[in-house]
Amino acid sequence: MSSWIEALPAFTVALLMLALPGAAVLAALRIRGLVAVCLAPAVSVSVIAVSAVVAPLIHLSWNIPVVLLGTAIASGAAWAARRFIPTLRATSTEESPQTGLGAALVGVLLALGLTTALLTLVAATPEAFTQGYDSVFHLNATEFAVETDNASSFAISGFILPAGKAAFYPGAWHGLASLLAIVTGVSVPAATNIMWLATAGVVWPLSCVFLTRVLFGRRPLLLLFAGVMAAAFPAFPWLLLQYGSAYPNSLSNAMVPLGIGLALLILRPAVHTGLEPVQALAVVVLFLPGAVMAQPNGIFSVLLVLTPLLVFLVFAWLRTGFTRSRRGGFSRMALLIFLTAFVGAALFTLPQIRSLFSYTSPAFLLFPVALFRNFTHAPDPVWFPSVVLTILVMVGVWAGFRRPGLRWLLGSLLLLTLTYPLASGTNVALANIVMAPWWDNPERVGALMPLLAVPLAAFGLVGALDWLRARFPGTANSSFQAGHKGKMTAAAGLAVVLVLSNPGLWQINGEVGNMYKVPAEPDGHAQVDAQELALIQRLADYTTTDDVIANNPYNGSALAMVLAGRTMLFPYSSQGDLNEDLYTLRFWLNRVGSDQEVCAAAKRQGVTYLLDFGTDYIPAFNDPRSLYPGVTLAPDSDAFTLVASEGHARLYRLDTCGGVPVQS
């Protein structure tokens, strides 16, 4: 695929995948209109992720029929719930045509156009791939799902585990990307780029529109701005793409505003409208599987934003108990303590939760600097503050603070503002613990600010325009006086100008471009250079899919799995769970020509070739060459014969094993 125009059919399929399963389930619940359009992608993610888990259990290959079956079952369950639950049967979301659906869709389409334009500036073709540390895992995991016809969250990491061993890894992203590759026939890198664009350019703006609708109402101009403003902030979706291509976290973040909005509809139905509480609860049941299997920290992100409101509601609940009787108050307090301890203990029984606390990121900014950069939407590597966006967010907070039931927004914004400096501006142990759900990772934490900043900026922009029209009625722009279409057109143009005039957005775009760049020679940052990539693209001339190629994953050679469809001995650098054979080969592959034990290990693993990209390692550990000394020294062994090279990149064939020539 040599151009983005060629990707249009696959992109259309990606949108259908994200729309149709969720739309069918929501239709069964009689949820329609703008709310259904916004919620459909998240429900689709749940249907697809759960279908991927169930498919191998009922011996079905991963493909469209599995998703159709999952959609039918979920829709049937939704229909039955509405049919037999009286409170659901009595609800409806049918609204008048003036619900802002058209304006919201225009805003989302503009956001998609802006995001597409910026992505195509840095990724020359859909086949381009980012060179981040996490790219290798996510690309190879998706390739593994395609090769095995299995995208279950309990199997997706199987390519780095010993045979027969399974572990849970949130695989919703890989299920989406692999399904797109299977259905359309595009490569995994192309499917990854296309699905990222669908997530960043459609799912994320729709989520922002939904939260804005729940918070501030359904005024068309407001919803238009919410859609466009989703493309304005460098912290999301671009920062996670630049950091390490954290695709699952991007999918999770894109859906977090939906979770916030659904929670508000349940907690405060008198303040927020869009769905009845029982409908919102039903959608939460549909939302949670996808949220957990996209990236569980999205649930923590929802709770983080809602913390001030939850604290207020809990305090009010306890106060009511004490008002009625002292005994009742203490009973409620005891129940609260018990539930908190029970949930905390239950979570800590999960190894995935416990492991979060083993990661810490050293401070690299002064705390006040990190605070300022987060507040002005300029997390590292962005250094230019987004002045206009910051002002609009503050105007939105001020306007929201004046509305009944929305004062908690100020506390949430302050809380989000503190998160980034806690991760990047201090080494205090307590800060590491608080930020553990996001691995204390500054980039993942920095991506949280737009969750609330987008709807606040949209609300602030509407408020600013209303103030200008009221303050200067005679000098207002004539296009804003030219009827509904004229006002909406002018508003859309203004929003686009505000987005494109943000220097931080262009700066992060340049940094993302560096991640897509393939250097001519090793530079110490990229996974592979042009010479190595050229040899990977020639592997099919010398090897087959039955061959197993030994490699040091820290020099980028592991990418041959996804880029050439070859089986790599070590397909990922952070591959700690090695069987005895892999452990032997990691340290002693250079002795394979004479050592019987090493030779036996190589035969059991099927090793036939060695891909040597030298000692230009990616910046991951202090001394990665010590982790694979046998592979590093193997090219100097008489057991291997050079068969192909591109500059410093070389491919060797294993010709001698345990003192005996290998029969080809």
Side-chain angles (χ1 to χ4, degrees), residues 207-268:
S207 296
C208 292
V209 167
F210 178 78
L211 180 56
T212 304
R213 161 73 176 83
V214 170
L215 285 172
F216 306 121
R218 60 191 188 187
R219 184 176 173 183
L221 190 63
L222 172 67
L223 301 180
L224 170 70
F225 285 152
V228 180
M229 285 296 162
F233 292 84
F236 189 76
W238 297 103
L239 183 60
L240 290 180
L241 185 62
Q242 182 274 335
Y243 154 64
S245 307
Y247 298 112
N249 221 137
S250 293
L251 177 62
S252 175
N253 246 42
M255 299 190 298
V256 166
L258 296 174
I260 298 170
L262 290 170
L264 291 174
L265 291 170
I266 296 169
L267 294 172
R268 311 196 85 183

Side-chain angles (χ1 to χ4, degrees), residues 280-306:
L281 186 59
V283 177
V284 166
V285 173
L286 297 169
F287 169 83
L288 283 175
V292 170
M293 285 188 276
Q295 175 48 257
N297 67 22
I299 305 299
F300 291 98
S301 299
V302 172
L303 294 175
L304 176 69
V305 172
L306 292 176

Side-chain angles (χ1 to χ4, degrees), residues 590-615:
N590 58 308
R591 298 185 179 183
V592 69
S594 57
D595 191 304
Q596 295 295 332
E597 183 180 345
V598 178
C599 174
K603 285 182 176 180
R604 285 191 293 266
Q605 296 300 312
V607 175
T608 50
Y609 286 86
L610 167 68
L611 188 60
D612 177 34
F613 284 175
T615 55

Side-chain angles (χ1 to χ4, degrees), residues 22 206 388 423:
L206 284 174
V388 175

Side-chain angles (χ1 to χ4, degrees), residues 612-659:
D612 177 34
F613 284 175
T615 55
D616 179 60
Y617 300 106
I618 58 175
F621 293 95
N622 292 332
D623 190 17
R625 74 191 66 195
S626 66
L627 297 177
Y628 292 82
V631 178
T632 303
L633 298 172
D636 298 327
S637 167
D638 293 336
F640 291 93
T641 301
L642 180 67
V643 294
S645 64
E646 286 282 351
H648 71 92
R650 292 176 169 82
L651 176 68
Y652 295 87
R653 184 180 61 242
L654 178 61
D655 283 341
T656 305
C657 186

